[in-house]
Amino acid sequence: MVKNGVLIWMMILAASALVAACASPTKHQLKTGPAYELIIEDRPELQLFLLRLRSNESKPLCINSEGWPNSRGEIWSGSAPPLIRLRSKDRLVSAVTKLDEYCPGGCQTVIPPHGVLLGDVKYETFGDPKVIRSLPERRLEVDIELVRCKRS
């Protein structure tokens, strides 16, 4: 009877270890307090949105490349729904230029403790910049998915 009990516990532990090994640590959201401050500024004279993400954490945070524009102001197209969207008073505007590069194992940007990450999303990402500029009550929506960085 004891052998069967030990065997059952070993099977449970093995199954738990397998699930933990398959789980992606980058999917776990921070559980405590506001970890960041995001400021999005619409700059029509530059035909872009400026993004400023400030960490409130004392440890490094990581953001996946899917959730932040690259250095050219392009956004990743692989998530559904998209993590970065443009909304106006009466509609959601889909991105027309999208980044579809693939990073094996995922790409992350590290934000140092209490650091700032800057980025921009160009109007042309969502179509003709003149049309985007004319949209009433336009706003960029960004879903932030930060995680504590894995130790190297």
Side-chain angles (χ1 to χ4, degrees):
M1 195 67 153
V2 172
K3 273 187 166 182
N4 288 340
V6 171
L7 182 59
I8 290 171
W9 275 111
M10 288 177 61
M11 289 172 53
I12 291 171
L13 288 173
S16 298
L18 180 61
V19 169
C22 293
S24 170
T26 60
K27 297 298 181 191
H28 299 300
Q29 299 299 310
L30 294 175
K31 306 274 188 221
T32 58
Y36 64 89
E37 176 183 57
L38 175 65
I39 297 172
I40 301 173
E41 184 181 349
D42 187 1
R43 299 291 302 267
E45 73 281 5
L46 300 174
Q47 298 183 348
L48 55 77
F49 294 92
L50 293 175
L51 286 75
R52 182 178 184 269
L53 179 64
R54 184 175 61 85
S55 169
N56 294 329
E57 293 287 312
S58 59
K59 296 187 178 191
L61 295 176
C62 285
I63 186 168
N64 286 330
S65 60
E66 298 92 9
W68 197 257
N70 69 11
S71 61
R72 296 181 304 273
E74 300 167 320
I75 61 174
W76 194 71
S77 63
S79 58
L83 297 174
I84 301 175
R85 305 167 297 282
L86 178 64
R87 190 174 301 276
S88 71
K89 180 179 179 180
D90 54 357
R91 67 182 173 137
L92 181 67
V93 182
S94 297
V96 294
T97 59
K98 299 176 184 175
L99 181 65
D100 60 0
E101 296 170 353
Y102 173 69
C103 291
C107 295
Q108 294 186 334
T109 299
V110 177
I111 306 169
H114 302 287
V116 174
L117 179 62
L118 301 174
D120 65 72
V121 177
K122 294 172 179 38
Y123 281 12
E124 68 189 39
T125 299
F126 299 97
D128 183 340
K130 291 178 186 170
V131 172
I132 299 304
R133 188 174 180 169
S134 71
L135 291 174
E137 299 177 32
R138 70 184 167 274
R139 67 187 181 280
L140 193 69
E141 298 175 339
V142 180
D143 294 336
I144 298 295
E145 295 183 0
L146 289 173
V147 296
R148 289 220 167 82
C149 300
K150 290 187 216 178
R151 294 181 185 187
S152 300

